[in-house]
Amino acid sequence: MDRDSHCTAERELLEAVSRITTSSTTSPSDEENQPKAEISCQVRQENPEKDDTQDSNATLSPNSSMTTKELQDYWRNEKRQCKQIKLLFDIPSTRIVEHHLSKYVMYKIIILQTGSFDSNKSVIERRYSDFEKLHRNLLEEFSEEMEDVTFPRKTLTGNFTEEIINERKLAFKDYLRLLYSMKYIRRSKKFIDFLTRPELQEAYGCLRGGQYTKALEILLEVIGLQERLTRGNPVSVVPTLCAIVVCHKDLENPASAFEYGEKALSRLRVHTSHRYYIPLLETMITLAYELGKDFLSLQETLEEWKAKKDPIRVFTLKELAVREYVQ
């Protein structure tokens, strides 16, 4: 093969593998109701401000002097490093709750992210009426996407028999799997609220009541699930991170408070108009001073922001936190 033909072959190979590595890593289009795995390469650097579909070209750097065979081997190894990741839903058990005059079944839902990122599972419980409310809400906003999604109907009798409960366990598992496979639904506030809101409401209720240890326990459980569900919108977890900061601070754990404060602040670097930005900065200055860390740069950032903005009333971080999820 002459030099021009050899270069052409290399160029064509590079273009081909580039198309492979830059293909979408999200679930299938809304027209297809069959879930597919999301693809993420270990070599990829994720940009938190972009969607969960990322271009991996920037992190891949094959040497231009490689032969065609070397290039093939290189890309074969890169593909081996790609891990399939997606959220898996399982409903392994149930329990019957009898409360005064009411009786209902609670379904234990385990949510696990596959792949190489983590293996921490989230465990929540929901009852039939919770699923039913979610279905109604999604029908209002996504009538077209939900057209072929079936929902297990109520029965007049036998709702507490083992047979009916087992049927619903399987039905709800498939229901969640199918909803998650549809991009616009899994990113919707209604779907995310179904999976996180009851726990967050309980946590913030504990926080308002001064039960910081209990609030912190719940918040640390839910933050992992929130982050999995909102990878394309990292700013949405800022209130939860800040509530964790408040709990740690009131429990006199300044180092842990500062750690979570840094996580929250990193998500607000380009969102300085966010309502949590200034209260978080002020809290971080206090914590940094207490821990003997550099607080001057934080103070300068705060002063610069105040110089550019009109003076307005700003709540403290704790005041903002206790206002979340107030009915």
Side-chain angles (χ1 to χ4, degrees), residues 84-95:
Q84 290 186 332
I85 61 166
K86 61 180 179 179
L87 290 188
L88 300 178
F89 297 87
D90 191 23
I91 304 180
S93 61
T94 61
R95 63 186 178 95

mmCIF file with all atom_site columns, all heavy atoms in Angstrom, residues 84-95:
data_model
loop_
_atom_site.group_PDB
_atom_site.id
_atom_site.type_symbol
_atom_site.label_atom_id
_atom_site.label_alt_id
_atom_site.label_comp_id
_atom_site.label_asym_id
_atom_site.label_entity_id
_atom_site.label_seq_id
_atom_site.pdbx_PDB_ins_code
_atom_site.Cartn_x
_atom_site.Cartn_y
_atom_site.Cartn_z
_atom_site.occupancy
_atom_site.B_iso_or_equiv
_atom_site.pdbx_formal_charge
_atom_site.auth_seq_id
_atom_site.auth_comp_id
_atom_site.auth_asym_id
_atom_site.auth_atom_id
_atom_site.pdbx_PDB_model_num
ATOM 1   N N   . GLN A 1 84 ? -21.209 -0.322 30.817 1.00 0.00 ? 84 GLN A N   1
ATOM 2   C CA  . GLN A 1 84 ? -22.623 -0.015 30.699 1.00 0.00 ? 84 GLN A CA  1
ATOM 3   C C   . GLN A 1 84 ? -23.133 0.477  32.057 1.00 0.00 ? 84 GLN A C   1
ATOM 4   O O   . GLN A 1 84 ? -22.903 -0.163 33.078 1.00 0.00 ? 84 GLN A O   1
ATOM 5   C CB  . GLN A 1 84 ? -23.400 -1.248 30.276 1.00 0.00 ? 84 GLN A CB  1
ATOM 6   C CG  . GLN A 1 84 ? -23.134 -1.675 28.839 1.00 0.00 ? 84 GLN A CG  1
ATOM 7   C CD  . GLN A 1 84 ? -24.025 -2.812 28.407 1.00 0.00 ? 84 GLN A CD  1
ATOM 8   O OE1 . GLN A 1 84 ? -24.444 -3.608 29.223 1.00 0.00 ? 84 GLN A OE1 1
ATOM 9   N NE2 . GLN A 1 84 ? -24.320 -2.881 27.132 1.00 0.00 ? 84 GLN A NE2 1
ATOM 10  N N   . ILE A 1 85 ? -23.796 1.607  32.054 1.00 0.00 ? 85 ILE A N   1
ATOM 11  C CA  . ILE A 1 85 ? -24.349 2.127  33.298 1.00 0.00 ? 85 ILE A CA  1
ATOM 12  C C   . ILE A 1 85 ? -25.796 2.510  33.096 1.00 0.00 ? 85 ILE A C   1
ATOM 13  O O   . ILE A 1 85 ? -26.173 3.072  32.081 1.00 0.00 ? 85 ILE A O   1
ATOM 14  C CB  . ILE A 1 85 ? -23.562 3.338  33.847 1.00 0.00 ? 85 ILE A CB  1
ATOM 15  C CG1 . ILE A 1 85 ? -23.583 4.486  32.839 1.00 0.00 ? 85 ILE A CG1 1
ATOM 16  C CG2 . ILE A 1 85 ? -22.157 2.960  34.215 1.00 0.00 ? 85 ILE A CG2 1
ATOM 17  C CD1 . ILE A 1 85 ? -23.138 5.786  33.425 1.00 0.00 ? 85 ILE A CD1 1
ATOM 18  N N   . LYS A 1 86 ? -26.613 2.184  34.055 1.00 0.00 ? 86 LYS A N   1
ATOM 19  C CA  . LYS A 1 86 ? -28.005 2.592  34.055 1.00 0.00 ? 86 LYS A CA  1
ATOM 20  C C   . LYS A 1 86 ? -28.558 2.340  35.444 1.00 0.00 ? 86 LYS A C   1
ATOM 21  O O   . LYS A 1 86 ? -27.930 1.658  36.260 1.00 0.00 ? 86 LYS A O   1
ATOM 22  C CB  . LYS A 1 86 ? -28.803 1.805  33.015 1.00 0.00 ? 86 LYS A CB  1
ATOM 23  C CG  . LYS A 1 86 ? -28.821 0.311  33.250 1.00 0.00 ? 86 LYS A CG  1
ATOM 24  C CD  . LYS A 1 86 ? -29.639 -0.393 32.184 1.00 0.00 ? 86 LYS A CD  1
ATOM 25  C CE  . LYS A 1 86 ? -29.636 -1.911 32.417 1.00 0.00 ? 86 LYS A CE  1
ATOM 26  N NZ  . LYS A 1 86 ? -30.448 -2.611 31.397 1.00 0.00 ? 86 LYS A NZ  1
ATOM 27  N N   . LEU A 1 87 ? -29.717 2.886  35.725 1.00 0.00 ? 87 LEU A N   1
ATOM 28  C CA  . LEU A 1 87 ? -30.360 2.626  37.004 1.00 0.00 ? 87 LEU A CA  1
ATOM 29  C C   . LEU A 1 87 ? -31.237 1.389  36.874 1.00 0.00 ? 87 LEU A C   1
ATOM 30  O O   . LEU A 1 87 ? -32.005 1.259  35.919 1.00 0.00 ? 87 LEU A O   1
ATOM 31  C CB  . LEU A 1 87 ? -31.201 3.822  37.441 1.00 0.00 ? 87 LEU A CB  1
ATOM 32  C CG  . LEU A 1 87 ? -30.447 5.078  37.872 1.00 0.00 ? 87 LEU A CG  1
ATOM 33  C CD1 . LEU A 1 87 ? -31.408 6.092  38.464 1.00 0.00 ? 87 LEU A CD1 1
ATOM 34  C CD2 . LEU A 1 87 ? -29.342 4.767  38.869 1.00 0.00 ? 87 LEU A CD2 1
ATOM 35  N N   . LEU A 1 88 ? -31.094 0.503  37.827 1.00 0.00 ? 88 LEU A N   1
ATOM 36  C CA  . LEU A 1 88 ? -31.904 -0.697 37.875 1.00 0.00 ? 88 LEU A CA  1
ATOM 37  C C   . LEU A 1 88 ? -32.902 -0.574 39.018 1.00 0.00 ? 88 LEU A C   1
ATOM 38  O O   . LEU A 1 88 ? -32.559 -0.108 40.107 1.00 0.00 ? 88 LEU A O   1
ATOM 39  C CB  . LEU A 1 88 ? -31.024 -1.927 38.093 1.00 0.00 ? 88 LEU A CB  1
ATOM 40  C CG  . LEU A 1 88 ? -29.966 -2.208 37.026 1.00 0.00 ? 88 LEU A CG  1
ATOM 41  C CD1 . LEU A 1 88 ? -29.151 -3.436 37.412 1.00 0.00 ? 88 LEU A CD1 1
ATOM 42  C CD2 . LEU A 1 88 ? -30.609 -2.399 35.659 1.00 0.00 ? 88 LEU A CD2 1
ATOM 43  N N   . PHE A 1 89 ? -34.126 -0.988 38.771 1.00 0.00 ? 89 PHE A N   1
ATOM 44  C CA  . PHE A 1 89 ? -35.180 -0.932 39.786 1.00 0.00 ? 89 PHE A CA  1
ATOM 45  C C   . PHE A 1 89 ? -35.599 -2.351 40.144 1.00 0.00 ? 89 PHE A C   1
ATOM 46  O O   . PHE A 1 89 ? -35.877 -3.165 39.265 1.00 0.00 ? 89 PHE A O   1
ATOM 47  C CB  . PHE A 1 89 ? -36.386 -0.144 39.270 1.00 0.00 ? 89 PHE A CB  1
ATOM 48  C CG  . PHE A 1 89 ? -36.091 1.290  38.966 1.00 0.00 ? 89 PHE A CG  1
ATOM 49  C CD1 . PHE A 1 89 ? -35.603 1.660  37.718 1.00 0.00 ? 89 PHE A CD1 1
ATOM 50  C CD2 . PHE A 1 89 ? -36.294 2.279  39.913 1.00 0.00 ? 89 PHE A CD2 1
ATOM 51  C CE1 . PHE A 1 89 ? -35.322 2.982  37.427 1.00 0.00 ? 89 PHE A CE1 1
ATOM 52  C CE2 . PHE A 1 89 ? -36.008 3.608  39.633 1.00 0.00 ? 89 PHE A CE2 1
ATOM 53  C CZ  . PHE A 1 89 ? -35.516 3.967  38.385 1.00 0.00 ? 89 PHE A CZ  1
ATOM 54  N N   . ASP A 1 90 ? -35.669 -2.623 41.440 1.00 0.00 ? 90 ASP A N   1
ATOM 55  C CA  . ASP A 1 90 ? -36.125 -3.928 41.892 1.00 0.00 ? 90 ASP A CA  1
ATOM 56  C C   . ASP A 1 90 ? -37.088 -3.734 43.057 1.00 0.00 ? 90 ASP A C   1
ATOM 57  O O   . ASP A 1 90 ? -36.946 -2.783 43.839 1.00 0.00 ? 90 ASP A O   1
ATOM 58  C CB  . ASP A 1 90 ? -34.934 -4.792 42.330 1.00 0.00 ? 90 ASP A CB  1
ATOM 59  C CG  . ASP A 1 90 ? -35.328 -6.242 42.568 1.00 0.00 ? 90 ASP A CG  1
ATOM 60  O OD1 . ASP A 1 90 ? -36.363 -6.674 42.004 1.00 0.00 ? 90 ASP A OD1 1
ATOM 61  O OD2 . ASP A 1 90 ? -34.619 -6.943 43.304 1.00 0.00 ? 90 ASP A OD2 1
ATOM 62  N N   . ILE A 1 91 ? -38.087 -4.603 43.139 1.00 0.00 ? 91 ILE A N   1
ATOM 63  C CA  . ILE A 1 91 ? -39.043 -4.566 44.252 1.00 0.00 ? 91 ILE A CA  1
ATOM 64  C C   . ILE A 1 91 ? -39.047 -5.955 44.873 1.00 0.00 ? 91 ILE A C   1
ATOM 65  O O   . ILE A 1 91 ? -39.847 -6.812 44.512 1.00 0.00 ? 91 ILE A O   1
ATOM 66  C CB  . ILE A 1 91 ? -40.449 -4.155 43.776 1.00 0.00 ? 91 ILE A CB  1
ATOM 67  C CG1 . ILE A 1 91 ? -40.390 -2.804 43.054 1.00 0.00 ? 91 ILE A CG1 1
ATOM 68  C CG2 . ILE A 1 91 ? -41.421 -4.077 44.953 1.00 0.00 ? 91 ILE A CG2 1
ATOM 69  C CD1 . ILE A 1 91 ? -41.717 -2.303 42.553 1.00 0.00 ? 91 ILE A CD1 1
ATOM 70  N N   . PRO A 1 92 ? -38.122 -6.194 45.798 1.00 0.00 ? 92 PRO A N   1
ATOM 71  C CA  . PRO A 1 92 ? -37.950 -7.552 46.327 1.00 0.00 ? 92 PRO A CA  1
ATOM 72  C C   . PRO A 1 92 ? -38.969 -7.960 47.380 1.00 0.00 ? 92 PRO A C   1
ATOM 73  O O   . PRO A 1 92 ? -39.197 -9.150 47.591 1.00 0.00 ? 92 PRO A O   1
ATOM 74  C CB  . PRO A 1 92 ? -36.545 -7.495 46.940 1.00 0.00 ? 92 PRO A CB  1
ATOM 75  C CG  . PRO A 1 92 ? -36.389 -6.069 47.361 1.00 0.00 ? 92 PRO A CG  1
ATOM 76  C CD  . PRO A 1 92 ? -37.135 -5.256 46.344 1.00 0.00 ? 92 PRO A CD  1
ATOM 77  N N   . SER A 1 93 ? -39.592 -6.991 48.048 1.00 0.00 ? 93 SER A N   1
ATOM 78  C CA  . SER A 1 93 ? -40.486 -7.356 49.144 1.00 0.00 ? 93 SER A CA  1
ATOM 79  C C   . SER A 1 93 ? -41.547 -6.289 49.371 1.00 0.00 ? 93 SER A C   1
ATOM 80  O O   . SER A 1 93 ? -41.463 -5.171 48.840 1.00 0.00 ? 93 SER A O   1
ATOM 81  C CB  . SER A 1 93 ? -39.687 -7.566 50.434 1.00 0.00 ? 93 SER A CB  1
ATOM 82  O OG  . SER A 1 93 ? -39.021 -6.366 50.808 1.00 0.00 ? 93 SER A OG  1
ATOM 83  N N   . THR A 1 94 ? -42.521 -6.636 50.178 1.00 0.00 ? 94 THR A N   1
ATOM 84  C CA  . THR A 1 94 ? -43.614 -5.718 50.530 1.00 0.00 ? 94 THR A CA  1
ATOM 85  C C   . THR A 1 94 ? -43.943 -5.906 52.008 1.00 0.00 ? 94 THR A C   1
ATOM 86  O O   . THR A 1 94 ? -43.502 -6.864 52.643 1.00 0.00 ? 94 THR A O   1
ATOM 87  C CB  . THR A 1 94 ? -44.882 -6.009 49.699 1.00 0.00 ? 94 THR A CB  1
ATOM 88  O OG1 . THR A 1 94 ? -45.312 -7.358 49.981 1.00 0.00 ? 94 THR A OG1 1
ATOM 89  C CG2 . THR A 1 94 ? -44.617 -5.865 48.213 1.00 0.00 ? 94 THR A CG2 1
ATOM 90  N N   . ARG A 1 95 ? -44.723 -4.993 52.511 1.00 0.00 ? 95 ARG A N   1
ATOM 91  C CA  . ARG A 1 95 ? -45.262 -5.161 53.861 1.00 0.00 ? 95 ARG A CA  1
ATOM 92  C C   . ARG A 1 95 ? -46.637 -4.520 53.919 1.00 0.00 ? 95 ARG A C   1
ATOM 93  O O   . ARG A 1 95 ? -46.900 -3.502 53.257 1.00 0.00 ? 95 ARG A O   1
ATOM 94  C CB  . ARG A 1 95 ? -44.333 -4.555 54.919 1.00 0.00 ? 95 ARG A CB  1
ATOM 95  C CG  . ARG A 1 95 ? -44.124 -3.063 54.817 1.00 0.00 ? 95 ARG A CG  1
ATOM 96  C CD  . ARG A 1 95 ? -43.071 -2.587 55.815 1.00 0.00 ? 95 ARG A CD  1
ATOM 97  N NE  . ARG A 1 95 ? -42.826 -1.152 55.694 1.00 0.00 ? 95 ARG A NE  1
ATOM 98  C CZ  . ARG A 1 95 ? -43.434 -0.232 56.454 1.00 0.00 ? 95 ARG A CZ  1
ATOM 99  N NH1 . ARG A 1 95 ? -44.315 -0.601 57.364 1.00 0.00 ? 95 ARG A NH1 1
ATOM 100 N NH2 . ARG A 1 95 ? -43.148 1.052  56.293 1.00 0.00 ? 95 ARG A NH2 1
#
